[in-house]
Amino acid sequence: NSKSSCSPWVNIQSAGWVNIQSARTNQGNWITKLMRTRLHDGADGYFRFNEADLGERNPKWVNNDYVKFMRLAQARFASIGVGVWGYITSNSYLDSPTFRGVRQSLLLTYPRLRVIDLHGNANKGELAAGDENVFEIKEGVAIAIGSLSPGLAELVAHADLSGPRQTKCDNLLVTGLALLSPLVPAGDHLQLSRSSAVGHAEYEGGWPVPVIFPVNSVGIVTARDALCIHFTQELAWATVRDFGKRPVEDARETYALGDDAQDWRTSWAQSDVTSTGPSKSLLQSVLYRPFDVRHTYYTGKASGFMVRPRPEVMRHMLAGENQAISLVRSTEIVGAYEHVFASSLLTTHHTVSIKEVNYHFPLWLYRNQERQPNLSQSFLNVLQSVLSLTAPEGQSLSPTATPHAERVFQYVYAVLHSHAYRNRYAVFLRRDFPRIPIPATSAVFQSLAGIGQELLQWHLFEHPAATHMGAARAYQTGAVAWFGSDFSLQRVAEKGRELAELSSSTGSTSSQMIGKVYVNATSGFANVEQRVWQHTIGGYQVLHKWLDDRRKAGRSLSQEDITHWLRVYAALDATQTLMRQVDEAIEANGGWPGAFSQNHPPPDAATLAAEQMAQKEQLKAQKKHAAAGTASTGIQRGSKTASLFDPDEDLDALAAAAGAPPRPKARATPARAAGGKGSAMKTPGATEIADWQAMCAIRSVLARPGAGVIPRQDLIRLTARALGSARTSVSIRKSLDDAIRRAVRRGIAVNTPYGLAIGMRGIDDYDRDQLRQLLLTAIGNTWCPKFDVAVRLARSLGFARTGPKIEDAVASHLRSLIRAGQVTVQGRGSEALCRRARPQAAA
């Protein structure tokens, strides 16, 4: 029952049974909310939800039926004050990060809690290791018994039972609860698993990756990869244009889209495409799989062309140069942890894992035309303290310091590629986000950052050895190289199997197994080392998958494809060497755990929850400001946050507050946008802005290198500055706001969820029909010189100069319009005049 429809209190005092299905409030499923948050005793038999939510992004597993029955017993015992609860259920809740709130709630409710983990989870590979399930199921099993009674001494006990099924049953029958031994749930997650206690304190001293990089999200989800992801930009563009024009059912059948889902529909996707143009400027590269770059049409609208484009994070990858780490939160794959990769592009939710959902952690954030690192200030402060930086260095370690931000990113990437790190903490890496240890000395930090830098260069193809590699270059004897003249992809050696013509070759340091990769009967790659061929990232055998995906798509190899494959091979070979160097550098500086500080743990649960809440509020505020076309800069004026980009801001007052002398009053200077003559604004604050001048200024602002997406109010301010206005009055804002709407209709700009971006960059980007209509508008209904038409069209589209491309396009379309009778011409040569043909009067 709910105390009231809007109250955060839940009445569990009733003596009757609680109806789980109907126990809902206007705030959502109270079972889910209760199990996601820590409980606190309230007055009169009520339990109060903790206002600080644990921040779980995907709590759907908490809605499993067995969790509801746990809550049912918990509510019943709270009403009568005494009871014993015993369930045989899935063992997922014992250590999974999603069930943090469930474990907290159970520990608070039952003074005495006894858990027997029977294991047998096929998804975690326990069956393959010789462990049998007590039932004929894949899910692991656990027995839990909770006791509630006044004055009962607190005790949490735990036991592990592994091995054959009969052995487990015999132990339960003969030994029973004597198997149990006390367990102290440790860490923020309070795991109820014995294995979590081994090495737990050492690992918990590291900083979780989401704490280090606070702005992050799951990779983009397309819902229909075959429609949204393509091998070439040309194919992506052709698909988008064709898809947007087809009737819904025709598009569904042509692209094999299947039935609509709750959060993605064919009509929504088509509407998203048509409402954004389509525009070539929205074609983006995406890292689809490790080293596999493909292309997509990215509008940033949720439940549009993509179902989950994650614009709140991915927009930072499109706004300028950036790098990001992609990794998984947890994994059921048994073996070494390998779910890590870097990208300078968009990533999907399965880029670095064949099964698990991966998260995207960018290095840089682009806000208000400025770049700042996505690094926690508390983490930077700890590094500054531990590494004993001098005052100037400490100053440069601030979040605005480019070199140090990159070094931190490189250090994190190197740690994640340590074999010793992955093996030492394998149990914990399967359960939650990786934790990064704090370096004990500057030598450790600099050594690992240097190796991390080289790893990133190879993985982003920025290493000189990769950029200078070509398919036609002369390779040294014995080096991997292409052979044959048939470029068709007909077959690829089976994943994980030995290479063709495999033989042993003794190099300068060790013996290697070397063979060939055939892509058809006569051609392929020679001198391929088995260890590199079988290198996997996130379950993907990289070299095999890259070829096999193209084989399945019916593609042949080009010279660029061959070069790319050879670069991937070189990158994987270098990765294996660099990973060994990471471990060697750690050993040279004290090994594990001596090379790292044990005295600088991450913030406690309460502090971390507060930081996460503050981050959420900040992101909400940014989204709100972006939607309203404003941008906050965090300058405080009294109790109000002022913005440097607020056109109504009193700049004189800010200067005076900073102790500066009064700044001179700037006069509005004549704007000569796009080489134009005359004044765009007669006096400061005047609103007489010529249309062509506004269009040229808007295009020049949007087309600046690294401009990316610009909030609407920022675009107005920057356009006004380009036109020579020192201040942006209300009348100028209104005039430029109208001009931006016209620019969108003309394809100069495109709307995105966070502002405006450049649309058609050149005259070739315009469709034929669209360009003809714009040409008719530029000609107008009054006579104008024919030789001036190209200039008119260019200026109306914001092009500063009228080059041969524009002149040729105008001449071609003008002849077509004259033949079609849509344009009337009188006179000849330089004296010729033209205008739009007037509609014929009805007979």
Side-chain angles (χ1 to χ4, degrees):
N1 303 320
S2 61
K3 188 174 183 180
S4 70
S5 60
C6 298
S7 172
W9 298 89
V10 175
N11 187 351
I12 55 177
Q13 205 172 24
S14 170
W17 290 101
V18 179
N19 186 323
I20 293 180
Q21 296 299 325
S22 64
R24 296 174 179 270
T25 69
N26 291 343
Q27 296 180 339
N29 188 332
W30 64 270
I31 297 173
T32 300
K33 186 171 183 181
L34 191 61
M35 289 302 193
R36 288 178 60 194
T37 57
R38 190 167 184 131
L39 292 171
H40 293 284
D41 290 327
D44 303 325
Y46 290 93
F47 278 40
R48 180 170 174 77
F49 299 134
N50 189 336
E51 295 299 333
D53 192 284
L54 290 175
E56 194 61 53
R57 299 184 182 183
N58 189 12
K60 64 181 181 181
W61 304 117
V62 181
N63 281 317
N64 283 340
D65 284 344
Y66 79 88
V67 181
K68 296 179 180 180
F69 278 100
M70 286 181 176
R71 176 64 190 128
L72 176 64
Q74 191 181 53
R76 177 64 173 169
F77 294 157
S79 66
I80 59 179
V82 64
V84 177
W85 156 79
Y87 282 164
I88 303 175
T89 68
S90 163
N91 66 354
S92 300
Y93 73 96
L94 299 182
D95 55 17
S96 172
T98 307
F99 293 90
R100 290 177 293 170
V102 174
R103 291 190 290 273
Q104 291 176 340
S105 181
L106 293 176
L107 289 168
L108 281 169
T109 302
Y110 303 106
R112 181 162 296 177
L113 185 62
R114 291 164 285 187
V115 176
I116 302 177
D117 190 348
L118 298 174
H119 294 284
N121 192 321
N123 296 324
K124 293 183 178 180
E126 291 178 337
L127 300 187
D131 187 40
E132 292 184 343
N133 198 300
V134 292
F135 305 115
E136 296 291 341
I137 59 176
K138 292 184 176 181
E139 188 76 17
V141 179
I143 300 174
I145 302 174
S147 303
L148 175 64
S149 178
L152 188 65
E154 293 187 5
L155 173 65
V156 178
H158 177 274
D160 272 309
L161 283 182
S162 300
R165 177 184 303 143
Q166 190 59 47
T167 301
K168 294 179 182 179
C169 294
D170 291 343
N171 285 333
L172 287 172
L173 285 171
V174 176
T175 312
L177 295 180
L179 292 166
L180 298 163
S181 60
L183 172 70
V184 179
D188 295 340
H189 293 181
L190 301 176
Q191 284 94 343
L192 296 174
S193 173
R194 174 66 60 183
S195 58
S196 66
V198 180
H200 189 271
E202 178 183 307
Y203 182 71
E204 289 286 314
W207 287 59
V209 172
V211 176
I212 299 174
F213 304 102
V215 176
N216 58 81
S217 75
V218 174
I220 62 174
V221 182
T222 67
R224 302 293 187 276
D225 279 6
L227 172 68
C228 300
I229 306 292
H230 300 277
F231 287 103
T232 66
Q233 191 176 74
E234 292 74 19
L235 185 58
W237 178 238
T239 300
V240 167
R241 293 186 65 188
D242 178 71
F243 173 71
K245 295 177 181 178
R246 290 180 178 270
V248 172
E249 293 304 320
D250 185 20
R252 192 195 313 278
E253 182 178 353
T254 301
Y255 293 97
L257 301 177
D259 295 334
D260 289 341
Q262 182 178 359
D263 50 4
W264 189 93
R265 298 181 183 177
T266 305
S267 59
W268 294 352
Q270 288 184 310
S271 176
D272 191 20
V273 168
T274 55
S275 65
T276 54
S279 169
K280 279 189 175 180
S281 64
L282 296 180
L283 291 174
Q284 300 293 343
S285 298
V286 55
L287 186 67
Y288 187 64
R289 297 293 183 259
F291 294 108
D292 190 351
V293 177
R294 302 194 191 179
H295 303 274
T296 189
Y297 188 75
Y298 187 84
T299 68
K301 178 182 177 183
S303 297
F305 189 62
M306 296 179 179
V307 62
R308 295 286 183 270
R310 314 293 180 187
E312 67 278 4
V313 171
M314 295 302 171
R315 67 187 181 91
H316 299 296
M317 303 301 295
L318 304 178
E321 292 185 3
N322 213 335
Q323 299 176 1
I325 297 176
S326 289
L327 48 79
V328 299
R329 178 174 185 175
S330 58
T331 175
E332 292 181 349
I333 297 178
V334 176
Y337 182 83
E338 56 181 29
H339 303 70
V340 180
F341 201 65
S343 174
S344 58
L345 308 171
L346 304 175
T347 61
T348 75
H349 69 308
H350 281 305
T351 291
V352 297
S353 177
I354 195 171
K355 181 179 180 181
E356 315 299 340
V357 172
N358 60 250
Y359 289 73
H360 188 94
F361 298 88
L363 169 59
W364 298 112
L365 304 178
Y366 287 85
R367 292 166 177 164
N368 306 330
Q369 304 301 304
E370 295 181 358
R371 186 176 77 167
Q372 55 184 274
N374 177 30
L375 291 170
S376 164
Q377 185 61 55
S378 57
F379 181 74
L380 292 175
N381 291 340
V382 167
L383 280 181
Q384 178 179 349
S385 171
V386 172
L387 302 182
S388 301
L389 299 177
T390 60
E393 290 177 328
Q395 181 68 25
S396 65
L397 192 60
S398 68
T400 57
T402 301
H404 281 290
E406 291 174 346
R407 296 301 277 179
V408 171
F409 190 82
Q410 293 158 4
Y411 167 79
V412 171
Y413 201 62
V415 170
L416 292 170
H417 280 82
S418 163
H419 284 299
Y421 169 84
R422 294 179 175 187
N423 294 330
R424 187 180 186 86
Y425 303 123
V427 173
F428 311 112
L429 290 171
R430 287 201 295 268
R431 293 177 178 171
D432 204 357
F433 286 115
R435 287 177 173 254
I436 306 301
I438 299 295
T441 64
S442 180
V444 176
F445 177 79
Q446 296 298 343
S447 297
L448 296 186
I451 301 173
Q453 180 182 19
E454 195 168 357
L455 276 167
L456 287 165
Q457 287 177 339
W458 275 110
H459 292 176
L460 300 177
F461 279 169
E462 296 174 355
H463 196 279
T467 56
H468 295 156
M469 184 178 295
R473 61 170 289 187
Y475 290 96
Q476 60 183 359
T477 303
V480 60
W482 170 262
F483 67 89
S485 58
D486 186 354
F487 299 100
S488 62
L489 262 173
Q490 299 175 11
R491 68 174 189 178
V492 181
E494 285 191 46
K495 182 173 64 175
R497 297 290 181 88
E498 291 185 347
L499 298 165
E501 303 177 27
L502 189 65
S503 62
S504 178
S505 174
T506 303
S508 58
T509 57
S510 61
S511 177
Q512 304 290 348
M513 300 301 293
I514 295 178
K516 293 181 179 180
V517 175
Y518 280 95
V519 299
N520 51 56
T522 60
S523 303
F525 298 91
N527 301 320
V528 177
E529 292 191 28
Q530 182 88 342
R531 63 176 178 83
V532 182
W533 168 250
Q534 293 184 340
H535 189 103
T536 59
I537 297 176
Y540 297 119
Q541 187 177 333
V542 181
L543 291 170
H544 174 275
K545 182 167 182 59
W546 193 93
L547 289 171
D548 204 40
D549 282 354
R550 282 149 182 79
R551 178 191 65 80
K552 293 175 181 177
R555 300 181 64 83
S556 296
L557 293 178
S558 65
Q559 287 294 331
E560 291 77 12
D561 290 336
I562 294 172
T563 300
H564 182 88
W565 195 91
L566 293 172
R567 286 175 176 170
V568 175
Y569 182 95
L572 295 178
D573 190 11
T575 297
Q576 293 182 3
T577 300
L578 291 168
M579 290 178 72
R580 290 193 295 270
Q581 291 180 10
V582 172
D583 288 332
E584 291 169 0
I586 293 173
E587 285 301 317
N589 287 277
W592 290 92
F596 303 94
S597 171
Q598 303 297 307
N599 301 317
H600 297 84
D604 57 30
T607 303
L608 186 58
E611 288 184 0
Q612 291 175 342
M613 187 62 66
Q615 292 164 6
K616 288 182 180 180
E617 294 301 322
Q618 183 180 11
L619 286 175
K620 289 180 181 178
Q622 290 169 359
K623 291 180 182 179
K624 182 178 180 181
H625 290 169
T630 60
S632 172
T633 61
I635 295 179
Q636 298 294 326
R637 184 194 303 160
S639 60
K640 179 182 178 181
T641 300
S643 168
L644 289 178
F645 300 104
D646 185 352
D648 290 329
E649 187 175 65
D650 187 347
L651 299 180
D652 291 328
L654 285 179
R663 63 186 182 90
K665 298 294 182 181
R667 295 178 58 85
T669 58
R672 300 186 181 275
K677 299 180 180 180
S679 172
M681 303 176 188
K682 295 182 178 179
T683 59
T687 60
E688 297 181 15
I689 306 173
D691 176 82
W692 65 270
Q693 291 173 323
M695 296 301 108
C696 289
I698 292 171
R699 180 178 285 279
S700 68
V701 171
L702 291 173
R704 291 174 181 173
V709 178
I710 303 177
R712 193 179 194 88
Q713 291 301 321
D714 285 357
L715 178 58
I716 291 174
R717 177 187 61 82
L718 294 171
T719 303
R721 299 298 181 269
L723 290 170
S725 175
R727 296 196 178 196
T728 313
S729 65
V730 175
S731 57
I732 291 177
R733 289 206 308 273
K734 183 179 184 304
S735 179
L736 291 180
D737 190 58
D738 294 338
I740 290 172
R741 291 190 180 92
R742 297 196 301 274
V744 172
R745 290 196 294 269
R746 298 176 192 179
I748 300 172
V750 291
N751 280 308
T752 75
Y754 292 94
L756 293 107
I758 187 67
M760 308 297 183
R761 291 186 176 272
I763 197 73
D764 295 338
D765 292 335
Y766 285 90
D767 291 337
R768 177 181 177 84
D769 293 340
Q770 183 183 12
L771 195 59
R772 291 181 65 174
Q773 187 59 46
L774 290 168
L775 183 58
L776 286 172
T777 303
I779 293 172
N781 296 321
T782 58
W783 294 105
C784 70
K786 185 178 178 181
F787 67 81
D788 195 41
V789 172
V791 176
R792 285 194 176 198
L793 178 66
R795 297 298 182 267
S796 70
L797 298 182
F799 294 113
R801 294 177 176 81
T802 308
K805 280 190 175 182
I806 294 179
E807 292 175 349
D808 292 345
V810 170
S812 174
H813 288 298
L814 186 57
R815 287 193 298 268
S816 177
L817 291 171
I818 293 172
R819 288 195 299 269
Q822 293 182 270
V823 172
T824 302
V825 179
Q826 69 175 19
R828 290 173 173 266
S830 60
E831 300 297 325
L833 301 175
C834 63
R835 72 178 181 187
R836 292 186 66 170
R838 294 177 179 175
Q840 298 292 328

